[in-house]
Amino acid sequence: MTPIWSVGLMTGTVLDGNIDVALLKTDGETIETFGAYALVPYAPSIRTMLEEAQAAARIWDFEGSEPAIFAEAEEALTRAQSAAVKQVVEQAGMDMADIGAIGFHGQTVLHRGPQKNRLGDTRQLGDGALMHAILGTKVVYDFRTADVRAGGQGAPLAAAYHAALLGTAGASGDSAILNLGGVGNVTWWDGKGDIVAFDTGPANAPINDFIKARGLGEMDRDGALAAKGKVDEARLAKLLEHPYLAAPYPKSLDRFDFTAAMADGLGNEDGAALLTAFSAACVGKALDLLPRRPKTLFVSGGGRHNPTFMAMLKQRAGVDAVSADTLGWRGDAVEAECFAFLAVRALRGLPISFPSTTGVPEPMTGGRIAG
């Protein structure tokens, strides 16, 4: 297939008020060109709606009718993301006719991995048909549901794109990609056989929630609070006994499976230090499960901007952690680029999840296509 321009969209579970928009020219197997990337803010009213939708989703828990707030938030988010696509495409000197596909991840409000004798479930807010009607371009959306219905975890889905990136870096199994969003996820590939990917544990979500709850802003900027704090090693050791961390992959997490309550009773600095140390130590536990423990992690996502977190990865995960940007990648854009890549794979009927990444019985494609 001739490579086409695709747009990828991502709004993370930390609800930072921004839409990640990335253009990628790809055939769904290789990366020809990294196109424009932008962080486009959406209205505070939408963020409030999404926070309400997340809260309502936890009460709903996939039982009975969906909360009414879902439909309202879904339409508002879809319209905002459609406007963001148009804006970024036009600023890149292109028009929508130049775009072959849009990978519209939507906003995750609830995710539950499969349990013994029970399929998992997942819900992302995002109306692909409405986006197609607004923009006139093929839209691939609802990437996770088919995987979950087939018995998979529905996450992580970045593995195919991460493997393409690792391929450009000459992957041999001595390195892996770690994405630090609300939740952490790792992808390992030896350059030949199966890709392995799974959620490592929490990343930024508990830290951000802790900071917000204390009225100290949106995040521990530059890890300044955590750097001043003292880690309660006894409490950390107890937290690291959580069964998820020793469980074999495939496995995945919801953004609220590990919360800021882990730092209850601690001061601001010590609480931030504990939560950061825990997220970093979880990565170490995850690396121990891989077929071969990598020596280097190429780190993408917002967490790589936190020098305290990055230092703790070396100290507590026992690995050399370097920003993905050092390879010429765009560490903030990787997740959005991923869904541009997966959209093209979906159009071609190529698999986006695998037994060794989500646990599906066989490699399978996914995503619904509007248009």
Side-chain angles (χ1 to χ4, degrees), residues 29 159-160 162-177 187-196 291-292 294 298 356:
E29 295 180 276
H162 283 174
L165 287 174
L166 286 168
T168 68
S172 63
D174 287 333
S175 60
I177 292 179
T187 300
W188 178 91
W189 183 50
D190 64 2
K192 295 175 285 190
D194 283 342
I195 310 162
V196 173
R292 187 155 90 241
F298 303 125
S356 56

Side-chain angles (χ1 to χ4, degrees), residues 13 36 42 45 51 63 68 75 81 98 118 133 163 187 199 206 242 277 290:
T13 54
Y42 51 76
S45 59
E51 288 173 343
E63 296 291 336
E75 179 176 353
Q81 296 210 12
D98 298 317
R118 188 189 74 184
T187 300
D199 288 345
H242 193 287
L290 292 171

Side-chain angles (χ1 to χ4, degrees), residues 132-199:
H132 168 66
I134 294 169
L135 296 174
T137 305
K138 285 183 180 177
V139 177
V140 185
Y141 66 110
D142 192 17
F143 283 90
R144 302 183 189 276
T145 299
D147 183 273
V148 167
R149 296 286 177 266
Q153 296 278 334
L157 292 184
Y161 183 59
H162 283 174
L165 287 174
L166 286 168
T168 68
S172 63
D174 287 333
S175 60
I177 292 179
L178 173 69
N179 185 72
L180 296 176
V183 169
N185 62 73
V186 67
T187 300
W188 178 91
W189 183 50
D190 64 2
K192 295 175 285 190
D194 283 342
I195 310 162
V196 173
F198 56 91
D199 288 345

Side-chain angles (χ1 to χ4, degrees), residues 242-286:
H242 193 287
Y244 178 85
L245 304 178
Y249 58 83
K251 54 182 179 175
S252 64
L253 289 168
D254 180 70
R255 177 237 196 278
F256 291 105
D257 283 340
F258 291 90
T259 71
M262 294 184 290
D264 280 356
L266 296 178
N268 296 337
E269 294 171 352
D270 291 352
L274 175 73
L275 294 174
T276 307
F278 179 63
S279 289
C282 287
V283 173
K285 294 270 193 183

